[in-house]
Amino acid sequence: MSKAIEIRTLLARLDAQALEQLCQEVVRLDEENARLRADLARMEENAEGWRDEAISLHEQLATALGGQPGINQTGALVVVPMERCA
């Protein structure tokens, strides 16, 4: 076998190995992406649930105190007395 044929054969084998490694990495990344998307969806659902719970509790507190739920300039949830709502 000539040197040129040996080099071409070696390069072809290396290309095949590189392609196989790339394919394996694509599969791994696809599986990781699917897992991360599922995790994100679950976390978004949890966050939505916590938000809904906070809003409900804020409304319950406002009702119990006879006021309206509100938010101040710093972002804190407050109960505004009814006389200040008019």
Side-chain angles (χ1 to χ4, degrees):
M1 219 196 286
S2 73
K3 286 271 189 204
I5 293 174
E6 288 177 13
I7 290 173
R8 273 188 264 149
T9 302
L10 177 60
L11 289 174
R13 285 183 187 163
L14 290 172
D15 284 344
Q17 287 177 350
L19 179 61
E20 178 62 27
Q21 289 174 353
L22 285 173
C23 289
Q24 290 172 358
E25 185 65 7
V26 166
V27 168
R28 186 191 71 76
L29 289 172
D30 183 58
E31 290 169 352
E32 182 178 3
N33 186 35
R35 182 184 54 79
L36 290 171
R37 285 182 183 273
D39 289 349
L40 177 61
R42 188 183 76 255
M43 289 176 191
E44 286 176 336
E45 288 174 15
N46 288 342
E48 185 74 18
W50 281 104
R51 185 189 69 80
D52 291 345
E53 181 69 14
I55 289 170
S56 175
L57 290 171
H58 189 209
E59 290 171 351
Q60 289 175 33
L61 178 62
T63 300
L65 295 175
Q68 290 289 316
I71 186 167
N72 67 16
Q73 290 177 341
T74 63
L77 299 177
V78 296
V79 174
V80 180
M82 287 303 283
E83 57 271 5
R84 293 185 60 196
C85 293

